[in-house]
Amino acid sequence: MHRILIVDDEPGVRESLTGVLQDEGYATSEAASAEACLEVLRNQSVDLVLLDVWLPGMDGLEALQKIRELRDPPEVIMISGHGTIETAVRATKLGAFDFLEKPLSIDRTLILLKNAIDNKKLRQENRDLKRQLQSKSVIAGDSVPMKALRQQIAIMAPANGRVLIYGESGTGKELVAHAIHAQSLRKDEAFIEVNCAAIPEDLIESELFGHKRGSFPGATTDKEGKFRSAHGGTLFLDEVGDMSLKTQAKVLRTLDEQRFTPVGSDDPVTVDARVIASTNKDLEEEISKGNFREDLFYRLNVIPFFVPALRERKEDIPGLARFFLKEFAAAYGRRPREITDDALNTLMRYAWPGNVRELRNVIERIVIMNPTTSKFERKHLPPLIYRDGTRNSGGTEFSTLHQARDAYERDYILKKLDESHGNITRTAEILGLERSHLYRKMKTLGIAVKD
């Protein structure tokens, strides 16, 4: 239910408007002065203010200025019994949505209210969309490889050169592409993405270049291709190594000529789009196998980027985990959560074959499955992570048998502690140890002891 604040020094006006608006399904509040209006706005969430121009003390126009300075201001419609064009123009310049003259027309008032509230919703949607786009271009991590990556992006993003991003699946190649676009001269234009691995071979040409109605069975309408949609902006060809040789030839020609012909059409279309491509394959090997065109490789590989696997920058895992915790707490409407050092150490021991995408999925899972938990511990992690972390790391982190044995003992004790819900006495019984011996062993292995 949308809330409307009625600000007028005449009780009769406030009373009549309140009755009409409540009959229309709006919630209402009232204020007899600008000062009272601002006090209400400090304590209540309001979608729209009906604000009289002539008020005792601070007038409506001055109040309008103060309202527009609020962090998330409501829409404001000014009302006046003896308004002038000059007053209406000034109110509009100060940010009022519109201006109503007394006596008020109920029909016009209700129409303006609906339009103003729709406008506020649109502004909120735009802010949310911008936040989502900004989050897609955040390159998190303080490791040396990620600092170098951010520096490279800052240097070359303003240029117009084509980019080829290398990296395993889940490393964040799409994130790098978004970051390049966000820092480029084309940032206010479209960012169009095509997953070359997800589109059937017989449809990818139509997806990229569009088609005319009737050009093939099922083409019931004209279709604008991704190249055309990206005109003036950026086209991201994700997993370009999975593109068929036939489509590669047409992409090559488009890059050379800056124009293409839609499927079933004889009319060429000129296009200006910066192309960023990504791949999880070794394209030079694909070239030797005859799966990828060498000439297209050199067109795309003007500026190469390499996104390291998560196992190669494990020092970034704590920061990424906290970043995702904050993200999902906001997404699911929950308060921010903490994660223990022990849980973070467990995350760092795991090999992460799915890279950052897998870490993100793990954090989302524990946020969803533990809605009342204020601090995530090792026991909240999926069994694959805390039981197989050492094994999946390939043993490369152990330089001696003693280190490997300690790691196994630590993992085994933690597992039994989880099964005993942290009960030291019960865990000692399961392990066949004296309670004091288990305490000493835990201290030696760096396991936090909770009394």
Side-chain angles (χ1 to χ4, degrees):
M1 183 179 292
H2 298 294
R3 179 169 291 278
I4 298 174
L5 174 59
I6 303 165
V7 186
D8 198 297
D9 59 338
E10 298 181 41
V13 172
R14 298 199 304 272
E15 184 178 346
S16 60
L17 278 173
T18 295
V20 170
L21 297 181
Q22 288 182 353
D23 288 343
E24 293 293 324
Y26 294 107
T28 61
S29 300
E30 297 180 25
S33 67
E35 292 81 3
C37 162
L38 295 172
E39 182 63 26
V40 171
L41 294 178
R42 280 190 285 268
N43 295 287
Q44 288 186 20
S45 176
V46 173
D47 297 294
L48 184 141
V49 178
L50 282 171
L51 180 61
D52 192 16
V53 173
W54 306 106
L55 293 167
M58 184 190 302
D59 66 23
L61 293 177
E62 187 178 350
L64 172 61
Q65 287 180 291
K66 294 185 178 299
I67 291 172
R68 300 306 300 172
E69 292 170 359
L70 296 175
R71 181 179 178 185
D72 183 20
E75 292 290 351
V76 179
I77 295 176
M78 305 299 296
I79 54 178
S80 176
H82 37 80
T84 63
I85 293 177
E86 181 183 352
T87 304
V89 169
R90 186 181 171 201
T92 303
K93 287 183 177 179
L94 290 173
F97 181 79
D98 213 322
F99 194 92
L100 287 170
E101 291 187 78
K102 295 178 182 177
L104 300 178
S105 163
I106 297 302
D107 289 341
R108 173 167 164 72
T109 300
L110 293 176
I111 290 172
L112 276 184
L113 288 178
K114 181 181 182 304
N115 291 342
I117 289 173
D118 287 345
N119 188 65
K120 187 176 188 298
K121 287 169 62 178
L122 182 61
R123 285 196 289 116
Q124 182 62 51
E125 289 171 1
N126 286 338
R127 283 197 298 270
D128 292 343
L129 181 59
K130 285 182 179 179
R131 278 196 292 267
Q132 291 173 17
L133 292 175
Q134 288 170 354
S135 69
K136 285 185 176 181
S137 61
V138 174
I139 307 293
D142 292 321
S143 63
V144 172
M146 298 313 290
K147 287 180 179 178
L149 185 62
R150 285 195 294 269
Q151 289 174 352
Q152 289 177 314
I153 291 172
I155 291 170
M156 57 66 54
N160 205 37
R162 299 184 194 114
V163 177
L164 183 55
I165 306 170
Y166 299 88
E168 297 177 8
S169 294
T171 52
K173 298 187 295 294
E174 180 186 354
L175 196 67
V176 173
H178 274 283
I180 293 170
H181 174 73
Q183 297 180 47
S184 74
L185 301 178
R186 299 169 179 258
K187 62 183 178 181
D188 295 325
E189 303 298 332
F191 178 91
I192 304 298
E193 180 179 354
V194 182
N195 188 332
C196 302
I199 302 172
E201 184 178 339
D202 56 342
L203 293 178
I204 191 168
E205 190 174 348
S206 167
E207 191 72 19
L208 288 172
F209 305 107
H211 63 247
K212 299 293 288 184
R213 184 179 62 179
S215 56
F216 56 85
T220 56
T221 61
D222 290 350
K223 177 182 177 65
E224 179 181 78
K226 300 297 187 182
F227 264 99
R228 192 175 218 169
S229 300
H231 181 70
T234 301
L235 177 65
F236 176 45
L237 301 176
D238 193 15
E239 303 304 350
V240 71
D242 293 290
M243 189 183 291
S244 70
L245 288 170
K246 179 185 175 183
T247 306
Q248 289 177 38
K250 193 162 184 177
V251 169
L252 174 65
R253 189 163 58 250
T254 301
L255 296 180
D256 283 342
E257 300 176 1
Q258 294 290 291
R259 63 178 181 173
F260 62 90
T261 303
V263 178
S265 174
D266 296 323
D267 300 321
V269 176
T270 301
V271 66
D272 170 28
R274 182 185 195 178
V275 174
I276 299 176
S278 77
T279 182
N280 62 7
K281 295 182 176 181
D282 183 339
L283 290 188
E284 293 186 4
E285 182 179 340
E286 294 298 307
I287 291 169
S288 67
K289 294 178 180 178
N291 296 331
F292 201 82
R293 294 181 62 113
E294 186 175 15
D295 45 7
L296 178 57
F297 171 74
Y298 289 119
R299 298 298 192 286
L300 296 174
N301 196 44
V302 177
I303 306 172
F305 273 79
F306 297 88
V307 185
L310 187 55
R311 64 181 174 275
E312 297 170 3
R313 53 184 185 102
K314 288 193 171 184
E315 61 267 41
D316 287 336
I317 290 175
L320 286 169
R322 293 187 179 100
F323 178 84
F324 293 139
L325 279 175
K326 185 182 295 184
E327 176 186 343
F328 289 118
Y332 294 109
R334 297 174 184 172
R335 56 189 173 80
R337 313 296 181 84
E338 296 180 4
I339 185 167
T340 64
D341 290 341
D342 188 40
L344 290 173
N345 289 334
T346 302
L347 293 176
M348 292 179 70
R349 288 201 304 275
Y350 184 59
W352 299 106
N355 290 294
V356 178
R357 183 186 295 127
E358 185 182 7
L359 173 60
R360 187 176 187 272
N361 290 344
V362 165
I363 298 301
E364 182 177 18
R365 173 180 171 179
I366 65 174
V367 168
I368 292 173
M369 299 303 294
N370 303 278
T372 60
T373 301
S374 60
K375 180 179 286 189
F376 294 115
E377 301 178 20
R378 183 177 181 276
K379 65 183 179 182
H380 296 114
L381 300 175
L384 174 66
I385 305 298
Y386 68 74
R387 291 181 184 175
D388 297 344
T390 300
R391 184 185 69 193
N392 287 344
S393 67
T396 57
E397 62 183 277
F398 306 127
S399 57
T400 67
L401 180 63
H402 179 74
Q403 289 180 356
R405 186 186 64 198
D406 283 352
Y408 177 80
E409 286 188 355
R410 186 177 191 279
D411 195 61
Y412 188 73
I413 291 172
L414 284 168
K415 177 183 174 182
K416 295 305 177 184
L417 278 167
D418 289 343
E419 293 174 356
S420 303
H421 305 289
N423 187 308
I424 301 292
T425 302
R426 177 61 183 152
T427 303
E429 291 174 357
I430 293 173
L431 295 173
L433 299 174
E434 292 291 333
R435 194 168 186 270
S436 58
H437 186 190
L438 177 57
Y439 266 117
R440 288 194 298 272
K441 176 66 74 173
M442 289 172 65
K443 185 175 180 181
T444 301
L445 295 173
I447 300 174
V449 178
K450 297 180 180 179
D451 294 325

mmCIF file of all heavy atoms in Angstrom, residues 406-442:
data_model
loop_
_atom_site.group_PDB
_atom_site.id
_atom_site.type_symbol
_atom_site.label_atom_id
_atom_site.label_comp_id
_atom_site.label_asym_id
_atom_site.label_seq_id
_atom_site.Cartn_x
_atom_site.Cartn_y
_atom_site.Cartn_z
ATOM 1 N N ASP A 406 49.538 -34.281 10.450
ATOM 2 C CA ASP A 406 48.869 -33.270 11.269
ATOM 3 C C ASP A 406 47.587 -32.776 10.592
ATOM 4 O O ASP A 406 46.557 -32.564 11.247
ATOM 5 C CB ASP A 406 49.807 -32.084 11.520
ATOM 6 C CG ASP A 406 50.858 -32.395 12.592
ATOM 7 O OD1 ASP A 406 50.749 -33.462 13.236
ATOM 8 O OD2 ASP A 406 51.773 -31.564 12.775
ATOM 9 N N ALA A 407 47.673 -32.565 9.270
ATOM 10 C CA ALA A 407 46.495 -32.083 8.540
ATOM 11 C C ALA A 407 45.376 -33.110 8.602
ATOM 12 O O ALA A 407 44.203 -32.751 8.792
ATOM 13 C CB ALA A 407 46.867 -31.781 7.087
ATOM 14 N N TYR A 408 45.711 -34.386 8.458
ATOM 15 C CA TYR A 408 44.699 -35.426 8.525
ATOM 16 C C TYR A 408 44.092 -35.493 9.929
ATOM 17 O O TYR A 408 42.864 -35.593 10.089
ATOM 18 C CB TYR A 408 45.288 -36.782 8.144
ATOM 19 C CG TYR A 408 44.280 -37.906 8.280
ATOM 20 C CD1 TYR A 408 43.336 -38.129 7.287
ATOM 21 C CD2 TYR A 408 44.258 -38.710 9.430
ATOM 22 C CE1 TYR A 408 42.393 -39.129 7.418
ATOM 23 C CE2 TYR A 408 43.319 -39.719 9.570
ATOM 24 C CZ TYR A 408 42.384 -39.926 8.555
ATOM 25 O OH TYR A 408 41.441 -40.907 8.703
ATOM 26 N N GLU A 409 44.946 -35.469 10.972
ATOM 27 C CA GLU A 409 44.444 -35.525 12.346
ATOM 28 C C GLU A 409 43.525 -34.344 12.641
ATOM 29 O O GLU A 409 42.471 -34.500 13.277
ATOM 30 C CB GLU A 409 45.622 -35.535 13.332
ATOM 31 C CG GLU A 409 46.371 -36.855 13.395
ATOM 32 C CD GLU A 409 47.394 -36.867 14.526
ATOM 33 O OE1 GLU A 409 47.569 -35.820 15.186
ATOM 34 O OE2 GLU A 409 48.016 -37.925 14.746
ATOM 35 N N ARG A 410 43.928 -33.157 12.194
ATOM 36 C CA ARG A 410 43.113 -31.961 12.426
ATOM 37 C C ARG A 410 41.745 -32.115 11.764
ATOM 38 O O ARG A 410 40.707 -31.822 12.365
ATOM 39 C CB ARG A 410 43.842 -30.731 11.873
ATOM 40 C CG ARG A 410 43.174 -29.411 12.181
ATOM 41 C CD ARG A 410 44.023 -28.250 11.647
ATOM 42 N NE ARG A 410 43.544 -26.986 12.146
ATOM 43 C CZ ARG A 410 42.510 -26.316 11.629
ATOM 44 N NH1 ARG A 410 41.859 -26.825 10.595
ATOM 45 N NH2 ARG A 410 42.119 -25.172 12.163
ATOM 46 N N ASP A 411 41.749 -32.581 10.515
ATOM 47 C CA ASP A 411 40.494 -32.732 9.786
ATOM 48 C C ASP A 411 39.608 -33.778 10.461
ATOM 49 O O ASP A 411 38.401 -33.597 10.597
ATOM 50 C CB ASP A 411 40.796 -33.129 8.335
ATOM 51 C CG ASP A 411 39.601 -32.945 7.421
ATOM 52 O OD1 ASP A 411 39.129 -31.801 7.299
ATOM 53 O OD2 ASP A 411 39.135 -33.941 6.828
ATOM 54 N N TYR A 412 40.218 -34.872 10.937
ATOM 55 C CA TYR A 412 39.450 -35.954 11.560
ATOM 56 C C TYR A 412 38.844 -35.490 12.890
ATOM 57 O O TYR A 412 37.674 -35.769 13.190
ATOM 58 C CB TYR A 412 40.355 -37.160 11.766
ATOM 59 C CG TYR A 412 39.621 -38.395 12.228
ATOM 60 C CD1 TYR A 412 38.816 -39.112 11.353
ATOM 61 C CD2 TYR A 412 39.725 -38.835 13.550
ATOM 62 C CE1 TYR A 412 38.132 -40.234 11.771
ATOM 63 C CE2 TYR A 412 39.049 -39.958 13.984
ATOM 64 C CZ TYR A 412 38.252 -40.658 13.090
ATOM 65 O OH TYR A 412 37.568 -41.771 13.514
ATOM 66 N N ILE A 413 39.638 -34.775 13.690
ATOM 67 C CA ILE A 413 39.129 -34.277 14.976
ATOM 68 C C ILE A 413 37.998 -33.280 14.751
ATOM 69 O O ILE A 413 36.968 -33.307 15.439
ATOM 70 C CB ILE A 413 40.271 -33.643 15.804
ATOM 71 C CG1 ILE A 413 41.247 -34.743 16.267
ATOM 72 C CG2 ILE A 413 39.723 -32.875 16.995
ATOM 73 C CD1 ILE A 413 42.502 -34.210 16.934
ATOM 74 N N LEU A 414 38.166 -32.389 13.785
ATOM 75 C CA LEU A 414 37.113 -31.411 13.485
ATOM 76 C C LEU A 414 35.828 -32.106 13.042
ATOM 77 O O LEU A 414 34.724 -31.699 13.410
ATOM 78 C CB LEU A 414 37.589 -30.433 12.407
ATOM 79 C CG LEU A 414 38.560 -29.352 12.862
ATOM 80 C CD1 LEU A 414 39.174 -28.634 11.661
ATOM 81 C CD2 LEU A 414 37.876 -28.343 13.779
ATOM 82 N N LYS A 415 35.963 -33.142 12.263
ATOM 83 C CA LYS A 415 34.795 -33.899 11.810
ATOM 84 C C LYS A 415 34.061 -34.504 13.009
ATOM 85 O O LYS A 415 32.826 -34.427 13.111
ATOM 86 C CB LYS A 415 35.244 -34.994 10.834
ATOM 87 C CG LYS A 415 34.100 -35.891 10.353
ATOM 88 C CD LYS A 415 34.649 -36.994 9.453
ATOM 89 C CE LYS A 415 33.543 -37.975 9.091
ATOM 90 N NZ LYS A 415 34.051 -39.099 8.261
ATOM 91 N N LYS A 416 34.806 -35.103 13.944
ATOM 92 C CA LYS A 416 34.175 -35.723 15.112
ATOM 93 C C LYS A 416 33.573 -34.661 16.045
ATOM 94 O O LYS A 416 32.540 -34.885 16.675
ATOM 95 C CB LYS A 416 35.194 -36.581 15.871
ATOM 96 C CG LYS A 416 35.682 -37.786 15.066
ATOM 97 C CD LYS A 416 34.524 -38.640 14.582
ATOM 98 C CE LYS A 416 34.981 -39.804 13.718
ATOM 99 N NZ LYS A 416 33.827 -40.584 13.170
ATOM 100 N N LEU A 417 34.239 -33.506 16.120
ATOM 101 C CA LEU A 417 33.658 -32.409 16.898
ATOM 102 C C LEU A 417 32.329 -31.961 16.299
ATOM 103 O O LEU A 417 31.367 -31.672 17.022
ATOM 104 C CB LEU A 417 34.632 -31.227 16.939
ATOM 105 C CG LEU A 417 35.760 -31.283 17.964
ATOM 106 C CD1 LEU A 417 36.800 -30.211 17.673
ATOM 107 C CD2 LEU A 417 35.209 -31.132 19.386
ATOM 108 N N ASP A 418 32.278 -31.888 14.976
ATOM 109 C CA ASP A 418 31.019 -31.532 14.314
ATOM 110 C C ASP A 418 29.929 -32.544 14.640
ATOM 111 O O ASP A 418 28.790 -32.175 14.952
ATOM 112 C CB ASP A 418 31.223 -31.476 12.792
ATOM 113 C CG ASP A 418 32.061 -30.289 12.362
ATOM 114 O OD1 ASP A 418 32.200 -29.356 13.170
ATOM 115 O OD2 ASP A 418 32.567 -30.300 11.225
ATOM 116 N N GLU A 419 30.278 -33.828 14.566
ATOM 117 C CA GLU A 419 29.290 -34.879 14.834
ATOM 118 C C GLU A 419 28.813 -34.837 16.283
ATOM 119 O O GLU A 419 27.675 -35.220 16.584
ATOM 120 C CB GLU A 419 29.903 -36.250 14.522
ATOM 121 C CG GLU A 419 30.183 -36.459 13.032
ATOM 122 C CD GLU A 419 30.931 -37.754 12.761
ATOM 123 O OE1 GLU A 419 31.289 -38.448 13.744
ATOM 124 O OE2 GLU A 419 31.170 -38.072 11.576
ATOM 125 N N SER A 420 29.686 -34.360 17.191
ATOM 126 C CA SER A 420 29.328 -34.274 18.617
ATOM 127 C C SER A 420 28.812 -32.889 18.992
ATOM 128 O O SER A 420 28.657 -32.595 20.197
ATOM 129 C CB SER A 420 30.557 -34.619 19.477
ATOM 130 O OG SER A 420 31.052 -35.898 19.167
ATOM 131 N N HIS A 421 28.552 -32.037 17.975
ATOM 132 C CA HIS A 421 28.038 -30.679 18.208
ATOM 133 C C HIS A 421 28.942 -29.877 19.140
ATOM 134 O O HIS A 421 28.457 -29.111 19.990
ATOM 135 C CB HIS A 421 26.609 -30.730 18.760
ATOM 136 C CG HIS A 421 25.661 -31.506 17.897
ATOM 137 N ND1 HIS A 421 25.214 -31.045 16.673
ATOM 138 C CD2 HIS A 421 25.098 -32.738 18.075
ATOM 139 C CE1 HIS A 421 24.397 -31.959 16.131
ATOM 140 N NE2 HIS A 421 24.321 -33.002 16.975
ATOM 141 N N GLY A 422 30.259 -30.093 19.015
ATOM 142 C CA GLY A 422 31.219 -29.321 19.796
ATOM 143 C C GLY A 422 31.450 -29.809 21.209
ATOM 144 O O GLY A 422 32.200 -29.179 21.969
ATOM 145 N N ASN A 423 30.852 -30.933 21.585
ATOM 146 C CA ASN A 423 30.998 -31.468 22.949
ATOM 147 C C ASN A 423 32.365 -32.157 23.074
ATOM 148 O O ASN A 423 32.605 -33.217 22.484
ATOM 149 C CB ASN A 423 29.859 -32.463 23.231
ATOM 150 C CG ASN A 423 29.847 -32.926 24.672
ATOM 151 O OD1 ASN A 423 30.863 -33.385 25.194
ATOM 152 N ND2 ASN A 423 28.701 -32.818 25.318
ATOM 153 N N ILE A 424 33.268 -31.541 23.855
ATOM 154 C CA ILE A 424 34.638 -32.049 23.988
ATOM 155 C C ILE A 424 34.667 -33.426 24.650
ATOM 156 O O ILE A 424 35.387 -34.341 24.211
ATOM 157 C CB ILE A 424 35.516 -31.069 24.795
ATOM 158 C CG1 ILE A 424 35.562 -29.700 24.105
ATOM 159 C CG2 ILE A 424 36.926 -31.625 24.952
ATOM 160 C CD1 ILE A 424 36.286 -29.691 22.795
ATOM 161 N N THR A 425 33.896 -33.600 25.703
ATOM 162 C CA THR A 425 33.889 -34.873 26.432
ATOM 163 C C THR A 425 33.436 -36.010 25.526
ATOM 164 O O THR A 425 34.054 -37.083 25.483
ATOM 165 C CB THR A 425 32.972 -34.772 27.660
ATOM 166 O OG1 THR A 425 33.424 -33.708 28.499
ATOM 167 C CG2 THR A 425 32.949 -36.080 28.434
ATOM 168 N N ARG A 426 32.320 -35.774 24.791
ATOM 169 C CA ARG A 426 31.795 -36.809 23.888
ATOM 170 C C ARG A 426 32.792 -37.109 22.772
ATOM 171 O O ARG A 426 33.016 -38.268 22.422
ATOM 172 C CB ARG A 426 30.458 -36.333 23.301
ATOM 173 C CG ARG A 426 29.834 -37.277 22.284
ATOM 174 C CD ARG A 426 29.533 -38.619 22.895
ATOM 175 N NE ARG A 426 29.012 -39.539 21.908
ATOM 176 C CZ ARG A 426 29.141 -40.838 21.955
ATOM 177 N NH1 ARG A 426 29.792 -41.395 22.989
ATOM 178 N NH2 ARG A 426 28.631 -41.620 21.039
ATOM 179 N N THR A 427 33.441 -36.077 22.249
ATOM 180 C CA THR A 427 34.430 -36.281 21.177
ATOM 181 C C THR A 427 35.614 -37.092 21.676
ATOM 182 O O THR A 427 36.116 -37.987 20.977
ATOM 183 C CB THR A 427 34.920 -34.909 20.647
ATOM 184 O OG1 THR A 427 33.804 -34.149 20.192
ATOM 185 C CG2 THR A 427 35.896 -35.092 19.496
ATOM 186 N N ALA A 428 36.071 -36.782 22.883
ATOM 187 C CA ALA A 428 37.193 -37.540 23.462
ATOM 188 C C ALA A 428 36.830 -39.016 23.604
ATOM 189 O O ALA A 428 37.652 -39.902 23.333
ATOM 190 C CB ALA A 428 37.575 -36.950 24.815
ATOM 191 N N GLU A 429 35.583 -39.310 24.005
ATOM 192 C CA GLU A 429 35.142 -40.702 24.134
ATOM 193 C C GLU A 429 35.165 -41.402 22.780
ATOM 194 O O GLU A 429 35.601 -42.555 22.657
ATOM 195 C CB GLU A 429 33.731 -40.760 24.727
ATOM 196 C CG GLU A 429 33.655 -40.326 26.183
ATOM 197 C CD GLU A 429 32.233 -40.265 26.692
ATOM 198 O OE1 GLU A 429 31.299 -40.507 25.876
ATOM 199 O OE2 GLU A 429 32.033 -39.976 27.889
ATOM 200 N N ILE A 430 34.669 -40.705 21.735
ATOM 201 C CA ILE A 430 34.630 -41.291 20.386
ATOM 202 C C ILE A 430 36.043 -41.590 19.894
ATOM 203 O O ILE A 430 36.307 -42.642 19.289
ATOM 204 C CB ILE A 430 33.919 -40.337 19.401
ATOM 205 C CG1 ILE A 430 32.428 -40.217 19.764
ATOM 206 C CG2 ILE A 430 34.079 -40.806 17.956
ATOM 207 C CD1 ILE A 430 31.683 -39.176 18.965
ATOM 208 N N LEU A 431 36.982 -40.674 20.196
ATOM 209 C CA LEU A 431 38.358 -40.828 19.726
ATOM 210 C C LEU A 431 39.188 -41.756 20.607
ATOM 211 O O LEU A 431 40.319 -42.107 20.242
ATOM 212 C CB LEU A 431 39.038 -39.457 19.655
ATOM 213 C CG LEU A 431 38.450 -38.461 18.638
ATOM 214 C CD1 LEU A 431 39.104 -37.091 18.798
ATOM 215 C CD2 LEU A 431 38.643 -38.970 17.214
ATOM 216 N N GLY A 432 38.638 -42.126 21.750
ATOM 217 C CA GLY A 432 39.374 -42.993 22.660
ATOM 218 C C GLY A 432 40.517 -42.271 23.350
ATOM 219 O O GLY A 432 41.560 -42.883 23.617
ATOM 220 N N LEU A 433 40.339 -40.974 23.643
ATOM 221 C CA LEU A 433 41.375 -40.168 24.283
ATOM 222 C C LEU A 433 40.880 -39.633 25.616
ATOM 223 O O LEU A 433 39.665 -39.530 25.850
ATOM 224 C CB LEU A 433 41.752 -38.971 23.386
ATOM 225 C CG LEU A 433 42.329 -39.263 22.002
ATOM 226 C CD1 LEU A 433 42.483 -37.961 21.238
ATOM 227 C CD2 LEU A 433 43.664 -39.982 22.121
ATOM 228 N N GLU A 434 41.831 -39.339 26.494
ATOM 229 C CA GLU A 434 41.487 -38.607 27.702
ATOM 230 C C GLU A 434 41.091 -37.182 27.296
ATOM 231 O O GLU A 434 41.618 -36.632 26.319
ATOM 232 C CB GLU A 434 42.684 -38.551 28.662
ATOM 233 C CG GLU A 434 43.068 -39.876 29.259
ATOM 234 C CD GLU A 434 42.008 -40.373 30.250
ATOM 235 O OE1 GLU A 434 41.303 -39.511 30.834
ATOM 236 O OE2 GLU A 434 41.902 -41.596 30.432
ATOM 237 N N ARG A 435 40.183 -36.573 28.074
ATOM 238 C CA ARG A 435 39.722 -35.227 27.746
ATOM 239 C C ARG A 435 40.887 -34.233 27.728
ATOM 240 O O ARG A 435 41.000 -33.392 26.833
ATOM 241 C CB ARG A 435 38.675 -34.775 28.773
ATOM 242 C CG ARG A 435 37.874 -33.543 28.388
ATOM 243 C CD ARG A 435 36.693 -33.403 29.362
ATOM 244 N NE ARG A 435 35.811 -32.326 28.968
ATOM 245 C CZ ARG A 435 35.917 -31.080 29.363
ATOM 246 N NH1 ARG A 435 36.922 -30.739 30.157
ATOM 247 N NH2 ARG A 435 35.063 -30.163 28.973
ATOM 248 N N SER A 436 41.798 -34.358 28.686
ATOM 249 C CA SER A 436 42.942 -33.449 28.762
ATOM 250 C C SER A 436 43.884 -33.657 27.572
ATOM 251 O O SER A 436 44.457 -32.696 27.042
ATOM 252 C CB SER A 436 43.701 -33.657 30.066
ATOM 253 O OG SER A 436 44.146 -35.003 30.179
ATOM 254 N N HIS A 437 44.009 -34.922 27.133
ATOM 255 C CA HIS A 437 44.853 -35.231 25.982
ATOM 256 C C HIS A 437 44.281 -34.596 24.716
ATOM 257 O O HIS A 437 45.010 -34.038 23.884
ATOM 258 C CB HIS A 437 44.979 -36.749 25.816
ATOM 259 C CG HIS A 437 45.939 -37.152 24.732
ATOM 260 N ND1 HIS A 437 46.045 -38.441 24.282
ATOM 261 C CD2 HIS A 437 46.815 -36.416 23.994
ATOM 262 C CE1 HIS A 437 46.949 -38.493 23.313
ATOM 263 N NE2 HIS A 437 47.434 -37.279 23.129
ATOM 264 N N LEU A 438 42.944 -34.676 24.578
ATOM 265 C CA LEU A 438 42.301 -34.071 23.409
ATOM 266 C C LEU A 438 42.493 -32.568 23.409
ATOM 267 O O LEU A 438 42.759 -31.962 22.349
ATOM 268 C CB LEU A 438 40.806 -34.421 23.392
ATOM 269 C CG LEU A 438 39.992 -33.778 22.252
ATOM 270 C CD1 LEU A 438 40.563 -34.146 20.887
ATOM 271 C CD2 LEU A 438 38.520 -34.197 22.344
ATOM 272 N N TYR A 439 42.389 -31.928 24.583
ATOM 273 C CA TYR A 439 42.616 -30.478 24.677
ATOM 274 C C TYR A 439 44.024 -30.126 24.173
ATOM 275 O O TYR A 439 44.204 -29.169 23.399
ATOM 276 C CB TYR A 439 42.459 -30.012 26.125
ATOM 277 C CG TYR A 439 41.084 -29.513 26.457
ATOM 278 C CD1 TYR A 439 40.300 -30.158 27.415
ATOM 279 C CD2 TYR A 439 40.558 -28.372 25.838
ATOM 280 C CE1 TYR A 439 39.034 -29.718 27.736
ATOM 281 C CE2 TYR A 439 39.282 -27.920 26.159
ATOM 282 C CZ TYR A 439 38.524 -28.587 27.100
ATOM 283 O OH TYR A 439 37.277 -28.132 27.412
ATOM 284 N N ARG A 440 45.029 -30.900 24.626
ATOM 285 C CA ARG A 440 46.404 -30.611 24.222
ATOM 286 C C ARG A 440 46.584 -30.809 22.706
ATOM 287 O O ARG A 440 47.256 -30.027 22.039
ATOM 288 C CB ARG A 440 47.382 -31.500 24.993
ATOM 289 C CG ARG A 440 47.542 -31.122 26.458
ATOM 290 C CD ARG A 440 48.759 -31.794 27.077
ATOM 291 N NE ARG A 440 48.654 -33.256 27.049
ATOM 292 C CZ ARG A 440 48.062 -33.968 28.007
ATOM 293 N NH1 ARG A 440 47.532 -33.365 29.066
ATOM 294 N NH2 ARG A 440 48.022 -35.294 27.913
ATOM 295 N N LYS A 441 45.963 -31.882 22.197
ATOM 296 C CA LYS A 441 46.069 -32.177 20.774
ATOM 297 C C LYS A 441 45.425 -31.057 19.944
ATOM 298 O O LYS A 441 45.991 -30.614 18.928
ATOM 299 C CB LYS A 441 45.386 -33.514 20.472
ATOM 300 C CG LYS A 441 45.339 -33.892 18.998
ATOM 301 C CD LYS A 441 46.703 -34.166 18.417
ATOM 302 C CE LYS A 441 47.251 -35.484 18.885
ATOM 303 N NZ LYS A 441 48.524 -35.825 18.180
ATOM 304 N N MET A 442 44.267 -30.571 20.384
ATOM 305 C CA MET A 442 43.581 -29.507 19.674
ATOM 306 C C MET A 442 44.415 -28.228 19.662
ATOM 307 O O MET A 442 44.516 -27.523 18.648
ATOM 308 C CB MET A 442 42.210 -29.239 20.309
ATOM 309 C CG MET A 442 41.197 -30.354 20.054
ATOM 310 S SD MET A 442 39.667 -30.138 21.009
ATOM 311 C CE MET A 442 39.019 -28.620 20.307
#
